[in-house]
Amino acid sequence: MSYYVTTPIYYVNAAPHLGHAYTTIAVDALARHHRQRGEDVFFLTGTDEHGEPVADAAHALGIEPQELADKNAERFKALVPQLGAANDFFIRTTDPEHMAKVQEVLTRVRENGYVYEGTYEGWYCPRCADFKAENEVDEGNRCPIHHVELTREQEDSYFFKLSAFQEPLERLYAEREDFVAPRTRYNEALSFLRSGLRDVPLSRHKLSWGVPVPWDDEHVFYVWFDALLNYYSALSYARPGEDLTSEFWPASYHVIAKDILRFHAIYWPALLMAADLELPERVFVHGYLLMDGEKMSKSLGNVLDPFAVIERFGADALRFYLLRDVPFGQDGSVSTAAFEQRYASELANDFGNLASRTLAMVVRYRDGVVSRTEVDPVLAPDFDGLTARVEELIGRAELTLALEEIWERVRRLNRYVEEQAPWQLAKDDSRSGELDRVLGTLVEGLRVVAVLLWPYLPASSERLLEALGAGGGALDLSLAGATLGAGRIERVEKIESLFPKEV
Ligand SMILES: [Zn+2]
C-alpha cells in the first residue's frame, strides 16, 4: 500500500502564516497516521515561485526574482520542522527537474490536441495571477478575494482546451462522489462545472519569470499549470537516481484551502486527462481559520501567531489546538483565549496530568514495575473498536472527529482513576491484586492513546511512550498494536509534565 499526500505549494511572495501552518500540520497528521498503518507514505510540500507577483516584488526590491524566491523559499522550508512536521520532499517550482517535467507534460498536452493559439482579453488580478470571469468581478472592478482593482488585459496566449473536458469531468463527478470533500466543496465544484467550462490561457506572453514554453520562446507557462504539475513532477526526482512515479502516482490526497478549489477540482483533473495521466484519488478542502480578536489571552495578545505559540507552548500544542478546535473541513474561529483554554483544560489537565500521575503512582506503589494482569473488564469495552474507528475517520481526512474519539478515551481513563482510587487500594494489602490490575490497565490505556495521538502530538506521544517503555524494548507506534491489552509494558518511569501549566 502506498499513500501520497500533498499540501499546496506555498506562494513565496507572502511570509509563512497561520494558514500555511494549518495545512502543513493537517497533512503531517495524515502522513503520520498512514505510516502507523505500515503503508509507504510520501508527504510533499514546497513553494510556488513563478508568476507576475514574484517578478514584481523582486523588481521593486531591485533584485532578481530568483534571489527573492531563494530567500523566501527558505522561510517556508524552515517552517516544516518547526511545526513538528516530517515531509519527504520539499519541491520548489524553480527546480530545473520540475521545469523540464512541466515542459514535457505540456508538450504532450499540445500533441494530444488540447492547445491552440489565440488572444485573451479579460479582467486580471495581479495578486491572484489570474483572469477573472465577468461574473466574478466585484463592484468597482475589484478582485473578490484581494479587493484590489483589476486591470483589463489583452494578450496573445496559448489556450488550454478546458471545454473539451466538460463531459469527462461530469462523468468523473458522477462516478466519484468522494473526488472532492467535504460535500459542500464537491457541490461547489460541480456547480462551477455545470455552468459550462471555457478554455483558459495556458501561457503568458509579456512575462519572462516562468517555465518557458518549449515551442515558443516568447511565452512562459501560466503559473497555475506550472504549479499544479508539482504534485506529479516531484516524484520523478525527489530521490536522486530513483523515479517514484509508478510507486506513488496517482496521489491519494491533495489537501488544499478553499480559495484554490477550482484549480484543483476542475483544471487539474482536466490537465491530467489531457496528458493521459491518472487522476488523484481525492481532493480535501479545509476551511479558513477566522481570527476572533474578541477573545484574547494575556500571554499571547490578540493574534494567534503560530511562531509565538510554538515558542511558548511547543509545536504539539499548536497542532492539537488547530485540529481540535475547528472541525477540519469547515471554517471556524480561533483565538488566543480559546487556545489557552484548550491547553490548560485538555493538554495540561486531561492528558498531561493523567500521564504524570499514573506513572508517579506506579513508581510510588510498585517501584515502576508493571505486573502482568488482565485489562480491567470495567474499562476494556470502552476501548473496543477504537483503532478501527480512528482509521476509518482519518482515512476520510476527518482529523477532528478522530481526535474527539481518542479524547473521549483520555477522559474515560481520567474517570477510571477517580472510580478506582488507586491511592485507597494502596493502603490495603489485601487489595494488592486489584491495585496491580488498576495500574496495569491505566498504563495500557495510556499506551493506546499515546499511539493514537502520535499524528497529532508526535513529540509528547514519543516522550510518553519512552517513559512507558522504561523496561527496554522500544514501544511500537504501529496501529496494529494499538488495542488495549496488546501491550507488554514491564517497567515505567516518571515523566516531567508533558504540558506544564506554567510556561
Ligand atoms: Zn485577486
Side-chain angles (χ1 to χ4, degrees), residues 125 127-128 132 143 145-146 148:
C125 171
R127 298 269 303 279
C128 294
K132 299 280 144 187
C143 170
I145 297 164
H146 296 104
V148 295

Side-chain angles (χ1 to χ4, degrees), residues 464-480:
L464 176 53
L465 287 169
E466 261 174 47
L468 291 170
L475 287 185
D476 182 12
L477 273 172
S478 80
L479 289 174

Side-chain angles (χ1 to χ4, degrees), residues 4-8 27 30 179 181 228 230-232 249-256 264 268 272 279-285:
Y4 176 28
V5 63
T6 66
T7 72
V27 170
L30 293 173
F179 180 64
L228 285 166
N230 91 87
Y231 301 130
Y232 178 70
W249 193 260
S252 314
Y253 260 106
H254 294 311
V255 177
I256 62 167
H264 286 79
W268 181 223
L272 289 166
L279 307 190
E281 285 161 31
R282 292 177 193 189
V283 175
F284 189 93
V285 189

Side-chain angles (χ1 to χ4, degrees), residues 172-191 261:
L172 167 72
Y173 274 77
E175 285 164 9
R176 287 167 56 181
E177 297 205 341
D178 60 359
F179 180 64
V180 175
R183 192 69 189 179
T184 47
R185 301 300 164 208
Y186 171 93
N187 290 336
E188 200 179 314
L190 188 59
S191 111
L261 172 67

Side-chain angles (χ1 to χ4, degrees), residues 61 69 144 293 425 433 483:
L61 294 167
L425 298 175
T483 41

Side-chain angles (χ1 to χ4, degrees), residues 257-280:
K258 62 183 183 177
D259 57 333
I260 51 178
L261 172 67
R262 186 176 305 168
F263 291 101
H264 286 79
I266 305 290
Y267 290 28
W268 181 223
L271 180 67
L272 289 166
M273 288 180 197
D276 307 316
L277 294 172
E278 274 189 86
L279 307 190

Side-chain angles (χ1 to χ4, degrees), residues 166 170 173-174 186-187 189-197 266:
Q166 182 76 38
E170 280 175 10
Y173 274 77
Y186 171 93
N187 290 336
L190 188 59
S191 111
F192 175 75
L193 178 60
R194 285 183 176 150
S195 72
L197 297 180
I266 305 290

